[in-house]
Amino acid sequence: MIFYGKVQGVGFRYRSTMLANELGLTGWVKNLADGTVEMQVQGSTRVIDKLVEGLSDNQFIKIDRIDDQKIGINNSERKFEMAN
């Protein structure tokens, strides 16, 4: 997923990591040079939707748009983390 809006400098990656791990999701999140945030996340659609809802329910984060694409499963992932 690529998140557009006020998503850098507002705790987006930290909050994503905390929520995703609480929800049992795996993957990673990182800032991109153009001001967007990229996230690769694995889990059920219902739980991923909860993650996005949790990110949207924040006074500092403002998600204007999300571009998403389904990709194959990475069975080696064990947790969700911030990527460089």
Side-chain angles (χ1 to χ4, degrees):
M1 297 185 202
I2 305 290
F3 292 84
Y4 297 83
K6 187 176 177 184
V7 293
Q8 285 193 17
V10 292
F12 187 96
R13 292 179 303 144
Y14 177 79
R15 185 158 172 82
S16 297
T17 302
M18 297 303 292
L19 287 171
N21 283 309
E22 286 174 16
L23 293 167
L25 299 169
T26 63
W28 50 262
V29 61
K30 69 179 178 179
N31 287 339
L32 299 180
D34 65 359
T36 61
V37 173
E38 181 178 9
M39 179 187 293
Q40 183 270 304
V41 61
Q42 296 187 133
S44 73
T45 301
R46 181 182 58 79
V47 178
I48 292 171
D49 288 346
K50 282 186 179 185
L51 171 64
V52 173
E53 287 171 23
L55 290 169
S56 298
D57 185 26
N58 181 286
Q59 64 181 353
F60 302 109
I61 296 169
K62 182 174 183 317
I63 300 169
D64 293 333
R65 185 176 101 223
I66 303 170
D67 290 344
D68 64 349
Q69 175 183 358
K70 294 197 185 289
I71 59 174
I73 298 294
N74 179 347
N75 290 317
S76 66
E77 288 182 348
R78 298 291 175 241
K79 64 180 183 175
F80 192 94
E81 58 194 354
M82 283 187 255
N84 295 331

